[in-house]
Amino acid sequence: EIENIHVGKEDIRGCMACQACKKTGKCAIDDLVNEVAPKIEECDGILIGSPVHFAGPSATLIAFLDRLFYSCGEDLTMKVGAAVASARRGGITATFDQLNKYFTIAGMPVASSQYWNSVHGRLPGEAEQDAEGLQTMRTLAENMTWLLRSIEAGKKAGVPAPTYEPVIRTNFIRE
């Protein structure tokens, strides 16, 4: 099962670092982030896609992801993540890199493809003409499906989930 969530035209504010979510279990800004957060616990994987805007992901998506990943933290661990980017020309690798960092900081395995997960096109329908990009997307779908099935098979076989040390937070500013 797949659920598409489009954030591009939503009015989503950035994180204020108020840490209310750590106390209440939800973001203090009550919008789409709080609607999506409960779904995170039930999902097996997350695929994030963004057009390239000024050599990076869309600002609305970044505001959404900052708050979602901060407020959902532990609920994301060991869920499969994948990122895709679409651009007319440049900025794909920077966008792809920034989106993947959400997965790695949350302890999520990242599904890969045969190249950077991207397609080129500016207008609707143009990406469908990018044969290499489409092949990359098909390979990503195969790899993400395999990874999800492998994790499920491991759970059924009784393979224990990783255990982690308590988090150590370092402040590099010394007095």
Side-chain angles (χ1 to χ4, degrees):
E1 293 179 27
I2 296 172
E3 181 176 350
N4 290 318
I5 299 167
H6 297 275
V7 302
K9 294 184 179 181
E10 298 288 327
D11 184 19
I12 299 177
R13 293 176 40 200
C15 182
M16 301 179 296
C18 69
Q19 299 199 16
C21 58
K22 300 303 177 199
K23 298 172 189 151
T24 65
K26 66 181 203 171
C27 185
I29 305 167
D30 195 20
D31 60 11
L32 185 62
V33 171
N34 285 339
E35 291 177 38
V36 172
K39 299 174 183 184
I40 293 295
E41 189 174 330
E42 296 182 27
C43 77
D44 297 313
I46 300 171
L47 175 67
I48 299 172
S50 180
V52 174
H53 292 183
F54 296 98
S58 77
T60 303
L61 178 63
I62 293 304
F64 175 80
L65 294 175
D66 282 352
R67 291 181 33 231
L68 181 69
F69 273 68
Y70 192 75
S71 63
C72 290
E74 297 80 30
D75 292 339
L76 294 160
T77 304
M78 298 313 293
K79 294 180 186 292
V80 177
V84 299
S86 175
R88 179 185 67 84
R89 278 182 61 151
I92 282 180
T93 57
T95 299
F96 182 61
D97 178 56
Q98 187 171 354
L99 295 177
N100 278 317
K101 288 177 180 170
Y102 287 96
F103 305 135
T104 59
I105 200 167
M108 298 171 65
V110 179
S112 62
S113 186
Q114 65 197 34
Y115 195 66
W116 296 304
N117 303 339
S118 60
V119 294
H120 287 86
R122 184 178 71 87
L123 299 173
E126 286 183 350
E128 295 169 15
Q129 299 171 38
D130 180 2
E132 180 182 5
L134 293 177
Q135 184 180 52
T136 299
M137 294 301 118
R138 289 190 300 272
T139 302
L140 173 62
E142 289 291 326
N143 290 349
M144 188 168 187
T145 300
W146 181 86
L147 192 51
L148 287 163
R149 288 179 177 157
S150 296
I151 291 170
E152 184 60 30
K155 289 176 183 177
K156 288 180 181 176
V159 177
T163 57
Y164 303 100
E165 297 177 24
V167 175
I168 299 171
R169 302 278 184 213
T170 302
N171 183 341
F172 293 104
I173 299 171
R174 306 281 187 234
E175 292 185 27

